[in-house]
Amino acid sequence: MAEGDNISAFSMEGGQDAVGLPRIVMVTEGSDTSASSASSTTPSEDNWADLIKSSEIPPEYWHIQKLVKYMKAGNQTATMVALSCLKDHDLTIEVNQRAIQEIGGLELLVNLLETRDLCCILGSLAVLKDISPNIEIRKKVTDLGAIPLLVGLLSDPAKDVQILAAETIANLGRIRKTRKFCRKFGGLPKLIDLLDIKERYLVTPREELNLEELQFLDIARAGAKALWSMSASQRNREAMRKFGMIPLIARLLKTVHLDVAVPAVGLLQMCANETSFQLAIQTEKMVNDLITHLANEDKDLKTYCSLAIYKCASDPITRDMIREAGGLELLIDAAKDTTNRENKPLMAAVTGALWKCANSEASVKKLDFLGAVPILVRLLDDENDGVLTNVAGALAECAKYPPNREKIRASGGIPMLIHHLNNTYKPLLENVPLVLMECAKEHNCMMQIDELDGVRLIWSLLKNDSKKVQTNAALALSPCVQNAPDSGEMVRSFVGALELTVDLLDSDDHNVLSAVCAAIATIAKDNENLAVISDHGVVAKLSKLVSTTDDHLRANLGVAIAYCCDWAQNRQEFGKRGAITPLVNYMTSRDPNVHRATALALYHLSFYSINCVTMHAAGVVQFLLETIGSKDPVLQEASAGCLCNIRKLALATEKIKLKQ
């Protein structure tokens, strides 16, 4: 649910489903929602054609067309009567919508928006609101120039007109052109103004509000729905922030009214894609309100709250606020509620929120206290790839806490994780190796991974065309190879595995290179495996990488070079290929991990006398004299060993000179 970061923003689409809840579809900026709906409109067109052929057009179709004709030919009174009669039909049915469209009713309805008669405007808006969920009608109405007219009606003194205009814009805004036109014609600030109502209306039960106060509440609801629709555009989100929407949406979140809370939180989670809104959610204290709404039984509201948390929880301060407000308890309750299993958007949002919240030690300990690991493991049998990806991500974070590794094994998680290595969904393949990487650090877990042929499956992911999958698979190999029983023989039993690993050193991705270097460092600890990768040209490929300025790559590259020195003429070859001087320059880095790896590499290289000469000429001694006093025992020992070898060479040279 990726940024990724792998959950995209959700938005309402097309009325209600069979259980009365708004349907949910994925909306992405830069693409018209009509594009994703094209496949769904084709069958309906076929059905319509079949309906015409079979001569089973219902009488309502002809009745609606007559009413539109009366509206065209009649006077003002006839038009109002026809509009009233039109509203008596179910305009959410496609046949009735087509009846209006095919006789030219859309042009008439848009024209009526320009009249000065309030009844005609209200009637036209009421019809447009009901028929605009149809994607063809949305496009047609937008092309007819309805957006500037609707934007103008947002300032109408009649509150009913404002409500209907905003709700119509909400429906039309599911296509890209409408969102662009609304921004272009000044609709966004007018919609934001609709959110500006007194907090008393928001926190007072409906039965205690009078008719006028209820209308203000409905205006805010309609405005939030329209802005929610508009927020599918990144430009619109930025414009909303500039027009001052943040404090108004923060106030709106305090509402006790479900019909206002759903679009308000839906709007917020869409805007939470932007860093500025994520910061605002933190600074405006919106987290507590999100947690309050998360406790609501409404599935849609729970989904949007979880999505907002998912998008904001990458910030450590926000994570702490979520944990302190009781958000983790509510997310776990939602995850273990079996009645939610069929609601995939909700489960994806909840597990995604848990994944991001688990990215801190305090949260992992809290989740451990709440018994999160067995609950998450049970979700590994879900059929939805988005849910599985988020569950694997959450387990990877939880497994960083050592006691949870055994819990994953005891709950039966390892066989399911290994099974998912055969999946083709790349975000899932990014996360599963990370869980197994942590589990491989525990003896019993590693034994089970080995028995189930998990290491071979992880190794096969190095052939995946996704850089992220390659990186995470390579990272998982290091602990697997290090902790597997008889790992040297196991690695050699995988046909072509070592050649594949060495070939990845030609990658142009620094993360892949760094992870592969870490894997090679572990593999090279076995002499027979080191001989094989040496034959495949590992020294030449590692030597090409020494010019890198990426500290993360430098750290793993240094260790790889260190352990690859211990075979045949490898250390001599590193020297001949010019790897020494760039390595000495690594000591100028501020990263202690780079210092440790570099000192280790230089120590192993220093057993060849010419390398010592090159190091000395490059000025390594002054760096080693500093690092020899380090509190890091590995760095201290490697620095001392390298200095010792340089000193031995100097003494031997001095003795030869004295003899001469």
Side-chain angles (χ1 to χ4, degrees), residues 11-13 25-41 135 138-139 171-177 179 229 232:
S11 180
M12 298 180 301
E13 174 67 28
V25 297
M26 311 294 282
V27 175
T28 55
E29 171 58 11
S31 63
D32 198 324
T33 50
S34 61
S36 61
S37 304
S39 59
S40 63
T41 57
I135 187 161
R138 286 204 296 265
K139 289 181 178 179
N171 289 336
L172 296 176
R174 294 169 199 159
I175 61 175
R176 184 178 181 180
K177 183 185 285 188
R179 297 194 291 269
S229 186

Side-chain angles (χ1 to χ4, degrees), residues 357-369:
C357 287
N359 192 20
S360 67
E361 185 178 352
S363 294
V364 169
K365 289 181 178 178
K366 181 70 171 180
L367 289 170
D368 187 46
F369 174 75

Side-chain angles (χ1 to χ4, degrees), residues 460-502:
S460 69
L461 293 181
L462 295 180
K463 294 184 287 187
N464 196 286
D465 57 4
S466 165
K467 305 295 186 186
K468 193 74 179 289
V469 173
Q470 290 176 353
T471 300
N472 293 352
L475 288 172
L477 286 178
S478 294
C480 287
V481 172
Q482 185 172 335
N483 299 316
D486 196 12
S487 62
E489 182 60 36
M490 176 193 71
V491 171
R492 288 189 294 278
S493 70
F494 302 146
V495 179
L498 293 175
E499 183 180 2
L500 172 63
T501 307
V502 174

Side-chain angles (χ1 to χ4, degrees), residues 280-326:
I281 288 172
Q282 180 190 117
T283 55
E284 294 283 340
K285 311 296 183 187
M286 296 189 216
V287 171
N288 288 339
D289 295 318
L290 282 172
I291 301 304
T292 300
H293 291 307
L294 184 62
N296 196 291
E297 292 302 314
D298 184 80
K299 305 293 186 187
D300 288 330
L301 185 55
K302 201 179 288 286
T303 300
Y304 302 134
C305 287
S306 301
L307 278 171
I309 291 170
Y310 165 80
K311 293 173 182 178
C312 297
S314 52
D315 183 272
I317 297 174
T318 305
R319 281 199 299 272
D320 291 342
M321 294 172 72
I322 293 166
R323 185 181 65 254
E324 290 164 6

